[in-house]
Short mmCIF file of all heavy atoms in Angstrom, two decimals:
data_model
loop_
_atom_site.label_atom_id
_atom_site.label_comp_id
_atom_site.label_asym_id
_atom_site.label_seq_id
_atom_site.Cartn_x
_atom_site.Cartn_y
_atom_site.Cartn_z
N GLY A 24 15.46 6.11 3.31
CA GLY A 24 14.87 4.85 2.82
C GLY A 24 13.66 4.47 3.62
O GLY A 24 12.67 3.95 3.10
N ALA A 25 13.75 4.64 4.97
CA ALA A 25 12.66 4.31 5.81
C ALA A 25 11.45 5.18 5.53
O ALA A 25 10.30 4.71 5.54
CB ALA A 25 13.06 4.44 7.32
N LEU A 26 11.69 6.47 5.27
CA LEU A 26 10.60 7.36 4.94
C LEU A 26 10.04 7.10 3.57
O LEU A 26 8.83 7.09 3.33
CB LEU A 26 11.03 8.82 5.03
CG LEU A 26 11.21 9.38 6.45
CD1 LEU A 26 11.81 10.75 6.40
CD2 LEU A 26 9.86 9.45 7.16
N PHE A 27 10.96 6.86 2.61
CA PHE A 27 10.56 6.69 1.23
C PHE A 27 9.69 5.46 1.02
O PHE A 27 8.72 5.49 0.31
CB PHE A 27 11.81 6.68 0.33
CG PHE A 27 11.48 6.55 -1.13
CD1 PHE A 27 10.98 7.59 -1.85
CD2 PHE A 27 11.73 5.35 -1.82
CE1 PHE A 27 10.69 7.47 -3.19
CE2 PHE A 27 11.47 5.22 -3.13
CZ PHE A 27 10.96 6.30 -3.85
N TRP A 28 10.11 4.35 1.64
CA TRP A 28 9.40 3.13 1.43
C TRP A 28 8.38 2.87 2.55
O TRP A 28 7.79 1.79 2.64
CB TRP A 28 10.35 1.94 1.38
CG TRP A 28 11.15 1.91 0.06
CD1 TRP A 28 10.62 1.74 -1.20
CD2 TRP A 28 12.52 2.13 -0.11
NE1 TRP A 28 11.61 1.82 -2.13
CE2 TRP A 28 12.81 2.03 -1.47
CE3 TRP A 28 13.56 2.36 0.76
CZ2 TRP A 28 14.05 2.20 -2.02
CZ3 TRP A 28 14.82 2.51 0.26
CH2 TRP A 28 15.07 2.43 -1.10
N SER A 29 8.17 3.82 3.40
CA SER A 29 7.18 3.73 4.52
C SER A 29 7.44 2.55 5.43
O SER A 29 6.51 1.86 5.89
CB SER A 29 5.74 3.68 3.98
OG SER A 29 5.47 4.83 3.28
N HIS A 30 8.69 2.28 5.70
CA HIS A 30 9.13 1.22 6.62
C HIS A 30 9.57 1.93 7.92
O HIS A 30 10.75 2.04 8.22
CB HIS A 30 10.20 0.32 6.09
CG HIS A 30 9.80 -0.54 4.97
ND1 HIS A 30 8.90 -1.56 5.15
CD2 HIS A 30 10.10 -0.56 3.66
CE1 HIS A 30 8.68 -2.20 3.99
NE2 HIS A 30 9.41 -1.55 3.06
N PHE A 31 8.58 2.38 8.70
CA PHE A 31 8.90 3.19 9.87
C PHE A 31 9.53 2.37 10.97
O PHE A 31 10.16 2.90 11.87
CB PHE A 31 7.65 3.89 10.35
CG PHE A 31 7.08 4.80 9.32
CD1 PHE A 31 5.81 4.53 8.80
CD2 PHE A 31 7.75 5.94 8.87
CE1 PHE A 31 5.27 5.35 7.82
CE2 PHE A 31 7.21 6.73 7.89
CZ PHE A 31 5.96 6.46 7.39
N TRP A 32 9.41 1.06 10.91
CA TRP A 32 10.04 0.17 11.90
C TRP A 32 11.57 0.27 11.80
O TRP A 32 12.24 -0.04 12.77
CB TRP A 32 9.58 -1.29 11.72
CG TRP A 32 9.93 -1.86 10.38
CD1 TRP A 32 9.15 -1.75 9.27
CD2 TRP A 32 11.11 -2.56 10.03
NE1 TRP A 32 9.76 -2.40 8.22
CE2 TRP A 32 11.01 -2.91 8.67
CE3 TRP A 32 12.25 -2.93 10.74
CZ2 TRP A 32 12.00 -3.58 8.01
CZ3 TRP A 32 13.22 -3.62 10.04
CH2 TRP A 32 13.09 -3.94 8.73
N LEU A 33 12.09 0.72 10.69
CA LEU A 33 13.55 0.84 10.58
C LEU A 33 14.11 1.92 11.52
O LEU A 33 15.29 1.92 11.79
CB LEU A 33 13.91 1.17 9.12
CG LEU A 33 13.72 0.03 8.12
CD1 LEU A 33 13.95 0.51 6.69
CD2 LEU A 33 14.72 -1.10 8.43
N PHE A 34 13.26 2.85 11.91
CA PHE A 34 13.72 3.89 12.85
C PHE A 34 14.10 3.33 14.20
O PHE A 34 14.83 3.92 14.94
CB PHE A 34 12.61 4.98 13.04
CG PHE A 34 12.47 5.86 11.86
CD1 PHE A 34 11.27 5.90 11.14
CD2 PHE A 34 13.53 6.71 11.43
CE1 PHE A 34 11.12 6.75 10.05
CE2 PHE A 34 13.36 7.49 10.34
CZ PHE A 34 12.19 7.55 9.65
N SER A 35 13.65 2.14 14.50
CA SER A 35 14.04 1.49 15.75
C SER A 35 15.53 1.24 15.82
O SER A 35 16.10 1.20 16.91
CB SER A 35 13.20 0.24 15.98
OG SER A 35 13.54 -0.71 15.01
N PHE A 36 16.15 1.04 14.65
CA PHE A 36 17.61 0.81 14.66
C PHE A 36 18.39 2.03 15.08
O PHE A 36 19.56 1.94 15.51
CB PHE A 36 18.06 0.37 13.28
CG PHE A 36 17.65 -1.05 12.95
CD1 PHE A 36 16.58 -1.31 12.12
CD2 PHE A 36 18.29 -2.12 13.55
CE1 PHE A 36 16.18 -2.62 11.83
CE2 PHE A 36 17.88 -3.43 13.29
CZ PHE A 36 16.86 -3.67 12.40
N LEU A 37 17.79 3.22 15.04
CA LEU A 37 18.44 4.40 15.51
C LEU A 37 18.69 4.36 17.00
O LEU A 37 19.57 5.03 17.52
CB LEU A 37 17.59 5.64 15.15
CG LEU A 37 17.52 5.92 13.69
CD1 LEU A 37 16.59 7.11 13.46
CD2 LEU A 37 18.87 6.20 13.08
N MET A 38 17.90 3.53 17.71
CA MET A 38 18.10 3.37 19.17
C MET A 38 19.46 2.74 19.48
O MET A 38 19.97 2.92 20.56
CB MET A 38 17.00 2.53 19.77
CG MET A 38 15.62 3.14 19.61
SD MET A 38 15.44 4.70 20.52
CE MET A 38 15.40 4.11 22.12
N LEU A 39 20.03 2.06 18.51
CA LEU A 39 21.34 1.45 18.73
C LEU A 39 22.44 2.49 18.93
O LEU A 39 23.58 2.21 19.37
CB LEU A 39 21.71 0.52 17.55
CG LEU A 39 20.81 -0.73 17.41
CD1 LEU A 39 21.20 -1.49 16.16
CD2 LEU A 39 20.95 -1.61 18.65
N ASP A 40 22.16 3.73 18.56
CA ASP A 40 23.12 4.82 18.73
C ASP A 40 23.40 5.06 20.21
O ASP A 40 24.47 5.60 20.56
CB ASP A 40 22.56 6.10 18.10
CG ASP A 40 23.64 7.21 18.04
OD1 ASP A 40 24.77 6.87 17.74
OD2 ASP A 40 23.27 8.35 18.37
N PHE A 41 22.53 4.60 21.09
CA PHE A 41 22.78 4.75 22.54
C PHE A 41 24.06 4.00 22.94
O PHE A 41 24.74 4.36 23.88
CB PHE A 41 21.60 4.23 23.36
CG PHE A 41 20.51 5.22 23.48
CD1 PHE A 41 19.28 4.99 22.89
CD2 PHE A 41 20.68 6.43 24.16
CE1 PHE A 41 18.29 5.89 22.99
CE2 PHE A 41 19.69 7.35 24.27
CZ PHE A 41 18.44 7.08 23.70
N PHE A 42 24.40 2.93 22.21
CA PHE A 42 25.63 2.19 22.51
C PHE A 42 26.87 3.06 22.19
O PHE A 42 27.92 2.86 22.83
CB PHE A 42 25.75 0.90 21.67
CG PHE A 42 24.87 -0.20 22.22
CD1 PHE A 42 23.67 -0.52 21.67
CD2 PHE A 42 25.26 -0.92 23.35
CE1 PHE A 42 22.88 -1.51 22.15
CE2 PHE A 42 24.49 -1.93 23.85
CZ PHE A 42 23.28 -2.22 23.26
N CYS A 43 26.76 4.01 21.32
CA CYS A 43 27.86 4.89 21.02
C CYS A 43 27.86 6.13 21.97
O CYS A 43 28.92 6.66 22.27
CB CYS A 43 27.81 5.37 19.59
SG CYS A 43 27.94 4.06 18.40
N GLN A 44 26.67 6.54 22.40
CA GLN A 44 26.57 7.74 23.22
C GLN A 44 26.82 7.50 24.72
O GLN A 44 27.27 8.38 25.41
CB GLN A 44 25.18 8.34 23.06
CG GLN A 44 24.81 8.71 21.63
CD GLN A 44 25.75 9.76 21.05
OE1 GLN A 44 26.16 10.67 21.78
NE2 GLN A 44 26.09 9.66 19.82
N ASN A 45 26.47 6.35 25.21
CA ASN A 45 26.60 6.03 26.62
C ASN A 45 27.84 5.13 26.85
O ASN A 45 27.96 4.05 26.25
CB ASN A 45 25.35 5.30 27.08
CG ASN A 45 25.32 5.14 28.56
OD1 ASN A 45 26.30 4.76 29.19
ND2 ASN A 45 24.13 5.32 29.14
N THR A 46 28.73 5.56 27.72
CA THR A 46 29.96 4.82 27.93
C THR A 46 29.73 3.45 28.57
O THR A 46 30.42 2.48 28.30
CB THR A 46 30.97 5.59 28.78
OG1 THR A 46 30.33 5.95 30.03
CG2 THR A 46 31.39 6.84 28.08
N LEU A 47 28.71 3.39 29.45
CA LEU A 47 28.41 2.10 30.06
C LEU A 47 27.91 1.08 29.07
O LEU A 47 28.35 -0.09 29.03
CB LEU A 47 27.35 2.30 31.18
CG LEU A 47 27.03 1.04 32.02
CD1 LEU A 47 28.24 0.54 32.71
CD2 LEU A 47 25.93 1.37 33.00
N LEU A 48 26.99 1.53 28.16
CA LEU A 48 26.55 0.61 27.14
C LEU A 48 27.65 0.28 26.12
O LEU A 48 27.67 -0.85 25.62
CB LEU A 48 25.35 1.21 26.38
CG LEU A 48 24.02 1.29 27.16
CD1 LEU A 48 22.97 2.01 26.37
CD2 LEU A 48 23.56 -0.09 27.53
N ALA A 49 28.56 1.23 25.90
CA ALA A 49 29.68 0.94 24.97
C ALA A 49 30.57 -0.11 25.62
O ALA A 49 31.11 -0.99 24.89
CB ALA A 49 30.45 2.22 24.71
N THR A 50 30.75 -0.06 26.93
CA THR A 50 31.54 -1.08 27.59
C THR A 50 30.91 -2.44 27.52
O THR A 50 31.57 -3.44 27.30
CB THR A 50 31.76 -0.71 29.08
OG1 THR A 50 32.40 0.57 29.14
CG2 THR A 50 32.61 -1.73 29.82
N VAL A 51 29.63 -2.51 27.66
CA VAL A 51 28.88 -3.79 27.53
C VAL A 51 29.03 -4.34 26.13
O VAL A 51 29.28 -5.48 25.93
CB VAL A 51 27.37 -3.56 27.87
CG1 VAL A 51 26.56 -4.81 27.54
CG2 VAL A 51 27.18 -3.24 29.36
N LEU A 52 28.89 -3.45 25.16
CA LEU A 52 29.05 -3.87 23.74
C LEU A 52 30.46 -4.39 23.49
O LEU A 52 30.69 -5.42 22.78
CB LEU A 52 28.71 -2.75 22.79
CG LEU A 52 28.71 -3.06 21.31
CD1 LEU A 52 27.66 -4.15 21.04
CD2 LEU A 52 28.49 -1.85 20.48
N LYS A 53 31.49 -3.70 24.06
CA LYS A 53 32.89 -4.18 23.93
C LYS A 53 33.09 -5.51 24.57
O LYS A 53 33.79 -6.37 24.03
CB LYS A 53 33.85 -3.18 24.57
CG LYS A 53 34.23 -2.06 23.70
CD LYS A 53 35.25 -1.22 24.46
CE LYS A 53 35.50 0.13 23.87
NZ LYS A 53 36.43 0.91 24.64
N ALA A 54 32.49 -5.72 25.74
CA ALA A 54 32.62 -6.95 26.49
C ALA A 54 32.01 -8.16 25.71
O ALA A 54 32.47 -9.30 25.83
CB ALA A 54 32.01 -6.87 27.85
N ILE A 55 30.99 -7.88 24.89
CA ILE A 55 30.37 -8.93 24.16
C ILE A 55 31.11 -9.13 22.83
O ILE A 55 31.24 -10.26 22.37
CB ILE A 55 28.88 -8.64 23.94
CG1 ILE A 55 28.16 -8.69 25.27
CG2 ILE A 55 28.25 -9.58 22.95
CD1 ILE A 55 26.75 -8.18 25.21
N SER A 56 31.56 -8.07 22.24
CA SER A 56 32.20 -8.16 20.89
C SER A 56 33.66 -8.52 20.99
O SER A 56 34.24 -9.07 20.03
CB SER A 56 32.00 -6.88 20.14
OG SER A 56 32.63 -5.78 20.79
N ALA A 57 34.32 -8.24 22.10
CA ALA A 57 35.77 -8.59 22.23
C ALA A 57 36.05 -10.07 22.07
O ALA A 57 36.95 -10.50 21.31
CB ALA A 57 36.33 -8.04 23.53
N PRO A 58 35.30 -10.95 22.76
CA PRO A 58 35.56 -12.37 22.58
C PRO A 58 34.70 -12.99 21.45
O PRO A 58 34.26 -14.14 21.52
CB PRO A 58 35.17 -13.01 23.91
CG PRO A 58 34.06 -12.14 24.39
CD PRO A 58 34.38 -10.73 23.88
N ALA A 59 34.44 -12.22 20.38
CA ALA A 59 33.57 -12.63 19.31
C ALA A 59 34.01 -13.99 18.69
O ALA A 59 33.19 -14.87 18.47
CB ALA A 59 33.42 -11.58 18.29
N ARG A 60 35.30 -14.13 18.45
CA ARG A 60 35.81 -15.39 17.85
C ARG A 60 35.56 -16.57 18.75
O ARG A 60 35.06 -17.62 18.34
CB ARG A 60 37.27 -15.24 17.50
CG ARG A 60 37.85 -16.45 16.85
CD ARG A 60 39.28 -16.18 16.38
NE ARG A 60 40.11 -17.32 16.18
CZ ARG A 60 39.93 -18.24 15.23
NH1 ARG A 60 38.93 -18.18 14.42
NH2 ARG A 60 40.77 -19.25 15.12
N SER A 61 35.88 -16.41 20.05
CA SER A 61 35.60 -17.51 21.00
C SER A 61 34.16 -17.81 21.15
O SER A 61 33.76 -18.98 21.26
CB SER A 61 36.20 -17.13 22.38
OG SER A 61 37.59 -16.92 22.28
N LEU A 62 33.33 -16.74 21.15
CA LEU A 62 31.87 -16.98 21.24
C LEU A 62 31.36 -17.70 20.01
O LEU A 62 30.53 -18.63 20.14
CB LEU A 62 31.17 -15.65 21.43
CG LEU A 62 31.25 -15.00 22.81
CD1 LEU A 62 30.64 -13.59 22.74
CD2 LEU A 62 30.59 -15.83 23.84
N MET A 63 31.84 -17.34 18.84
CA MET A 63 31.41 -18.00 17.62
C MET A 63 31.82 -19.50 17.63
O MET A 63 31.02 -20.37 17.21
CB MET A 63 31.97 -17.32 16.38
CG MET A 63 31.30 -16.02 16.07
SD MET A 63 29.60 -16.29 15.72
CE MET A 63 28.90 -14.83 16.44
N MET A 64 33.04 -19.76 18.09
CA MET A 64 33.48 -21.12 18.15
C MET A 64 32.66 -21.94 19.17
O MET A 64 32.38 -23.13 18.97
CB MET A 64 34.96 -21.23 18.52
CG MET A 64 35.88 -20.76 17.39
SD MET A 64 35.78 -21.87 15.96
CE MET A 64 35.07 -20.81 14.76
N THR A 65 32.28 -21.30 20.30
CA THR A 65 31.43 -21.94 21.25
C THR A 65 30.05 -22.21 20.71
O THR A 65 29.49 -23.28 20.94
CB THR A 65 31.35 -21.05 22.56
OG1 THR A 65 32.65 -20.80 23.02
CG2 THR A 65 30.57 -21.81 23.65
N PHE A 66 29.50 -21.28 19.95
CA PHE A 66 28.20 -21.51 19.30
C PHE A 66 28.29 -22.63 18.31
O PHE A 66 27.38 -23.47 18.18
CB PHE A 66 27.73 -20.23 18.64
CG PHE A 66 27.24 -19.17 19.55
CD1 PHE A 66 27.57 -17.85 19.42
CD2 PHE A 66 26.39 -19.50 20.65
CE1 PHE A 66 27.14 -16.85 20.32
CE2 PHE A 66 25.94 -18.51 21.54
CZ PHE A 66 26.32 -17.23 21.37
N LEU A 67 29.40 -22.68 17.55
CA LEU A 67 29.59 -23.78 16.62
C LEU A 67 29.65 -25.12 17.37
O LEU A 67 29.06 -26.10 16.95
CB LEU A 67 30.84 -23.58 15.79
CG LEU A 67 31.18 -24.70 14.79
CD1 LEU A 67 30.08 -24.80 13.73
CD2 LEU A 67 32.52 -24.45 14.13
N GLY A 68 30.40 -25.15 18.49
CA GLY A 68 30.42 -26.35 19.30
C GLY A 68 29.04 -26.73 19.84
O GLY A 68 28.72 -27.90 19.92
N ALA A 69 28.25 -25.73 20.18
CA ALA A 69 26.88 -25.98 20.64
C ALA A 69 26.04 -26.63 19.55
O ALA A 69 25.24 -27.53 19.81
CB ALA A 69 26.23 -24.72 21.17
N VAL A 70 26.20 -26.14 18.31
CA VAL A 70 25.46 -26.71 17.20
C VAL A 70 25.90 -28.15 16.95
O VAL A 70 25.08 -29.02 16.69
CB VAL A 70 25.60 -25.83 15.94
CG1 VAL A 70 25.06 -26.51 14.72
CG2 VAL A 70 24.96 -24.48 16.15
N ILE A 71 27.20 -28.39 17.07
CA ILE A 71 27.71 -29.76 16.83
C ILE A 71 27.19 -30.70 17.92
O ILE A 71 26.74 -31.82 17.60
CB ILE A 71 29.28 -29.76 16.78
CG1 ILE A 71 29.72 -29.02 15.52
CG2 ILE A 71 29.83 -31.16 16.86
CD1 ILE A 71 31.20 -28.74 15.45
N VAL A 72 27.21 -30.26 19.19
CA VAL A 72 26.70 -31.09 20.26
C VAL A 72 25.22 -31.36 20.06
O VAL A 72 24.75 -32.50 20.23
CB VAL A 72 26.94 -30.39 21.60
CG1 VAL A 72 26.12 -31.03 22.73
CG2 VAL A 72 28.43 -30.44 21.95
N THR A 73 24.46 -30.34 19.60
CA THR A 73 23.04 -30.53 19.36
C THR A 73 22.83 -31.48 18.20
O THR A 73 21.90 -32.31 18.24
CB THR A 73 22.39 -29.17 19.04
OG1 THR A 73 22.63 -28.30 20.16
CG2 THR A 73 20.88 -29.30 18.86
N PHE A 74 23.68 -31.41 17.18
CA PHE A 74 23.58 -32.35 16.06
C PHE A 74 23.77 -33.78 16.52
O PHE A 74 23.04 -34.71 16.12
CB PHE A 74 24.52 -31.96 14.94
CG PHE A 74 24.40 -32.88 13.76
CD1 PHE A 74 23.40 -32.68 12.84
CD2 PHE A 74 25.30 -33.92 13.52
CE1 PHE A 74 23.28 -33.51 11.71
CE2 PHE A 74 25.22 -34.73 12.43
CZ PHE A 74 24.21 -34.52 11.53
N VAL A 75 24.75 -33.99 17.38
CA VAL A 75 25.01 -35.35 17.93
C VAL A 75 23.78 -35.85 18.72
O VAL A 75 23.38 -37.00 18.53
CB VAL A 75 26.31 -35.34 18.78
CG1 VAL A 75 26.44 -36.65 19.51
CG2 VAL A 75 27.53 -35.10 17.89
N TYR A 76 23.27 -34.96 19.60
CA TYR A 76 22.11 -35.34 20.37
C TYR A 76 20.89 -35.60 19.46
O TYR A 76 20.08 -36.47 19.70
CB TYR A 76 21.79 -34.33 21.44
CG TYR A 76 22.52 -34.59 22.70
CD1 TYR A 76 23.75 -34.02 22.93
CD2 TYR A 76 22.00 -35.44 23.68
CE1 TYR A 76 24.44 -34.28 24.09
CE2 TYR A 76 22.66 -35.71 24.85
CZ TYR A 76 23.90 -35.11 25.05
OH TYR A 76 24.59 -35.37 26.20
N ALA A 77 20.77 -34.82 18.35
CA ALA A 77 19.68 -35.00 17.43
C ALA A 77 19.80 -36.36 16.74
O ALA A 77 18.85 -37.05 16.48
CB ALA A 77 19.62 -33.88 16.42
#
Side-chain angles (χ1 to χ4, degrees):
L26 284 173
F27 182 72
W28 288 296
S29 298
H30 290 292
F31 302 114
W32 60 272
L33 290 172
F34 287 117
S35 64
F36 288 103
L37 294 175
M38 298 296 288
L39 294 175
D40 189 44
F41 279 113
F42 282 101
C43 297
Q44 301 298 324
N45 188 317
T46 56
L47 184 62
L48 288 176
T50 303
V51 170
L52 186 63
K53 276 185 195 176
I55 293 170
S56 62
R60 180 171 160 68
S61 299
L62 285 172
M63 287 298 144
M64 289 295 114
T65 305
F66 287 134
L67 178 64
V70 170
I71 292 170
V72 166
T73 303
F74 182 78
V75 169
Y76 272 91

